[in-house]
Amino acid sequence: MCQVNYQGFGSKTDVLDELYGAVGKGIFKLAVVGETRVNYLFRQDEFIVQHIGIYLRDTYDFNSDSTFEQMFPLGVWSKSRLLSKAEMTVYMLMYNARENSKIAEMFPSLVPVFNDDFRRYQKRHQAGGDFVVYSDVMWLKVPAGMKTPMPW
């Protein structure tokens, strides 16, 4: 097995939606299926791609030494909701300025959750952990007429 190409996606400034909430930053990878043959005219082996598989690989880890990760946590949560990124920016500016009374007024019952909070939870409850997630593979058939020789 080897890796040739991948495409990262996502950034800390993306809109907070289901994909960002579940993945944040991730990697789309490609897998290919095909057959090899000898091209006698050019005296070389070729690989003919017949199917392309696309899948997501993402790591869920809770390690961070960056100031950005510490300033903008895993989210600002209550039992009933999560702040949007715009709301979280306002919250964290007030949080860092120690404006607790304003926070309590504007964002009652909401608290920031940091990577360290999760690490403490893991240690206390002996549960949770870092892991890698792979999506299902979406296979695409390369049209029969499409030539995709790859000389070795």
Side-chain angles (χ1 to χ4, degrees), residues 2-3 5-7 27-31 52-57 134 137:
C2 72
Q3 175 176 306
N5 291 318
Y6 67 90
Q7 177 63 53
I27 296 174
F28 281 119
K29 293 196 172 204
L30 299 178
I52 298 172
I54 304 169
Y55 64 97
L56 168 77
R57 177 186 179 274
Y134 291 92
V137 179

Side-chain angles (χ1 to χ4, degrees), residues 30-54:
L30 299 178
V32 295
V33 173
E35 62 184 38
T36 58
R37 68 178 182 200
V38 177
N39 183 322
Y40 293 104
L41 181 62
F42 294 106
R43 295 187 180 159
Q44 63 186 14
D45 293 332
E46 295 177 336
F47 181 74
I48 307 302
V49 177
Q50 297 168 328
H51 293 87
I52 298 172
I54 304 169

Side-chain angles (χ1 to χ4, degrees), residues 81-107:
R81 75 182 205 116
L82 167 68
L83 292 185
S84 70
K85 285 190 178 181
E87 291 172 312
M88 192 164 60
T89 300
V90 172
Y91 183 102
M92 292 310 296
L93 288 170
M94 290 190 294
Y95 179 86
N96 291 327
R98 308 276 190 246
E99 296 177 357
N100 296 334
S101 61
K102 284 185 183 178
I103 291 173
E105 183 181 323
M106 289 180 66
F107 304 103

Side-chain angles (χ1 to χ4, degrees), residues 115-131:
N115 285 329
D116 288 345
D117 297 321
F118 183 76
R119 290 289 180 211
R120 280 193 301 279
Y121 172 88
Q122 284 180 309
K123 192 172 188 174
R124 182 180 304 141
H125 298 281
Q126 298 293 303
D130 298 339
F131 52 95

